[in-house]
C-alpha cells in the first residue's frame, strides 16, 4: 500500500483544518491506519487511528480528544482527520501510516511499515 497525505496549512489558534490520507488500495480492515505527528525536536507521537479489526471504532490521543475527529471514506480508501480548535502545540508534520502490527499496539509508530510523505500543520497564537 502507498499513502498520500494532503491538506495541511497555516492557521490561527482556534481555527480548523482537515488533513486527508489516500491509500493506493483497500486499506481499512486490512491494516492498522493511523495519524501521527512530529514537532521539531520531539518524537513522533500517535494522534488517532483505526485498528484493522476494530471496524469503525477510532482511537485518539488524550491531547486531541474532543477536538480531533477521525473519519473515512471506504470507497475512496481515504481517511480524514478533522482538527478543530487548533492550538499552537498542535504544530507539527502530520503523517499517516499503515501497518499490520497487533491491534493492541495501534499507538506505537514502530509497528507501522508504510508512511505517507507528511503534511505540515502550523498553528500560530
Amino acid at each position: 500500500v502507498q499513502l498520500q497525505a494532503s491538506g495541511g496549512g497555516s492557521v490561527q489558534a482556534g481555527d480548523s483544518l482537515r488533513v486527508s490520507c489516500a491509500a493506493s488500495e483497500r486499506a481499512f480492515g486490512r491494516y492498522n491506519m493511523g495519524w501521527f505527528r512530529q514537532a521539531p525536536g520531539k518524537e513522533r507521537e500517535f494522534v488517532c487511528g483505526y485498528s484493522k479489526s476494530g471496524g469503525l471504532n477510532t482511537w485518539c490521543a488524550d491531547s486531541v480528544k474532543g477536538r480531533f475527529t477521525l473519519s473515512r471514506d471506504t470507497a475512496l480508501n481515504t481517511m480524514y482527520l478533522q482538527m478543530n480548535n487548533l492550538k499552537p502545540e498542535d504544530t507539527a508534520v502530520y503523517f499517516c501510516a499503515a501497518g499490520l502490527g497487533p491491534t493492541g499496539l495501534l499507538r506505537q509508530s514502530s509497528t507501522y511499515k508504510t508512511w505517507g510523505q507528511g503534511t505540515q500543520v502550523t498553528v500560530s497564537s
Side-chain angles (χ1 to χ4, degrees):
V1 63
Q2 294 180 322
L3 304 174
Q4 180 74 36
S6 61
S10 296
V11 297
Q12 299 287 320
D15 286 350
S16 299
L17 271 178
R18 189 179 77 164
V19 290
S20 303
C21 176
S24 61
E25 62 186 60
R26 185 176 70 87
F28 304 110
R30 298 179 66 190
Y31 301 95
N32 291 334
M33 297 291 293
W35 281 102
F36 291 79
R37 66 187 182 185
Q38 188 165 19
K42 294 188 176 181
E43 293 187 355
R44 192 168 296 188
E45 64 175 359
F46 174 79
V47 180
C48 291
Y50 289 104
S51 79
K52 61 183 186 288
S53 61
L56 294 175
N57 292 329
T58 61
W59 283 263
C60 291
D62 288 344
S63 60
V64 305
K65 282 181 180 177
R67 300 188 298 121
F68 290 14
T69 303
L70 187 64
S71 63
R72 73 195 200 196
D73 186 325
T74 303
L76 296 178
N77 296 320
T78 300
M79 68 176 176
Y80 307 97
L81 185 66
Q82 177 67 43
M83 303 181 288
N84 297 330
N85 190 22
L86 282 160
K87 302 177 180 181
E89 51 264 42
D90 296 317
T91 295
V93 178
Y94 283 69
F95 300 88
C96 58
L100 292 171
T103 57
L105 298 181
L106 179 71
R107 298 169 185 260
Q108 292 198 14
S109 60
S110 60
T111 66
Y112 289 79
K113 183 177 181 180
T114 301
W115 293 82
Q117 83 283 12
T119 183
Q120 176 71 45
V121 172
T122 302
V123 185
S124 57
S125 58

Coordinates of all heavy atoms in Angstrom, one line a residue, residues 10-15 86-91 122-125:
S10 N -1.3 26.7 7.3 CA -1.0 27.6 8.4 C -2.3 28.3 8.8 O -3.0 28.8 8.0 CB 0.0 28.6 8.0 OG 1.2 28.0 7.7
V11 N -2.6 28.2 10.1 CA -3.9 28.8 10.6 C -3.6 29.5 12.0 O -2.5 29.3 12.5 CB -5.0 27.7 10.8 CG1 -5.4 27.0 9.5 CG2 -4.5 26.6 11.8
Q12 N -4.6 30.1 12.4 CA -4.6 30.8 13.7 C -5.1 29.8 14.8 O -6.0 28.9 14.5 CB -5.4 32.1 13.7 CG -4.9 33.1 12.7 CD -3.6 33.8 13.2 OE1 -3.5 34.1 14.4 NE2 -2.7 34.0 12.3
A13 N -4.7 30.0 16.0 CA -5.3 29.3 17.1 C -6.8 29.4 17.1 O -7.4 30.5 16.9 CB -4.7 29.7 18.4
G14 N -7.5 28.2 17.3 CA -8.9 28.2 17.3 C -9.5 27.9 16.0 O -10.7 27.5 15.9
D15 N -8.7 27.9 14.9 CA -9.2 27.6 13.6 C -9.3 26.0 13.4 O -8.9 25.3 14.3 CB -8.3 28.2 12.5 CG -8.5 29.6 12.4 OD1 -9.5 30.2 13.0 OD2 -7.7 30.3 11.7
L86 N -7.8 24.3 17.0 CA -6.3 24.0 16.9 C -5.6 25.0 17.9 O -5.9 26.1 18.1 CB -5.8 24.2 15.5 CG -6.1 23.0 14.6 CD1 -6.0 23.4 13.1 CD2 -5.2 21.9 14.9
K87 N -4.5 24.4 18.4 CA -3.7 25.1 19.4 C -2.2 25.2 18.8 O -1.9 24.3 18.0 CB -3.7 24.4 20.7 CG -5.1 24.2 21.3 CD -5.0 23.4 22.6 CE -6.4 23.2 23.2 NZ -6.3 22.4 24.5
P88 N -1.5 26.1 19.3 CA -0.1 26.2 18.8 C 0.7 24.9 19.1 O 1.6 24.5 18.3 CB 0.5 27.4 19.6 CG -0.7 28.2 19.9 CD -1.8 27.3 20.1
E89 N 0.4 24.2 20.1 CA 1.1 22.9 20.4 C 0.7 21.8 19.4 O 1.3 20.7 19.5 CB 0.8 22.5 21.8 CG -0.6 22.4 22.3 CD -1.1 23.7 23.0 OE1 -0.7 24.8 22.6 OE2 -1.8 23.5 24.0
D90 N -0.3 22.0 18.6 CA -0.6 21.1 17.5 C 0.3 21.2 16.3 O 0.2 20.4 15.4 CB -2.1 21.2 17.1 CG -3.1 20.9 18.2 OD1 -2.9 19.9 18.9 OD2 -4.1 21.7 18.3
T91 N 1.1 22.2 16.3 CA 2.0 22.5 15.2 C 3.0 21.3 15.1 O 3.7 20.9 16.0 CB 2.8 23.8 15.4 OG1 1.9 24.9 15.4 CG2 3.9 23.9 14.3
T122 N 0.7 24.2 10.8 CA 1.3 25.3 11.7 C 0.1 26.1 12.3 O -0.7 26.6 11.5 CB 2.2 26.2 10.9 OG1 3.2 25.4 10.3 CG2 2.8 27.2 11.7
V123 N 0.2 26.2 13.6 CA -0.9 27.0 14.3 C -0.2 28.1 15.1 O 0.6 27.9 15.9 CB -1.6 26.1 15.3 CG1 -2.8 26.9 15.9 CG2 -2.2 24.8 14.6
S124 N -0.6 29.3 14.7 CA 0.0 30.5 15.4 C -0.9 31.1 16.4 O -2.2 31.0 16.2 CB 0.4 31.5 14.4 OG -0.7 31.9 13.6
S125 N -0.4 31.6 17.4 CA -1.2 32.2 18.5 C -1.7 33.6 18.2 O -1.2 34.2 17.3 CB -0.4 32.1 19.8 OG 0.8 32.8 19.7

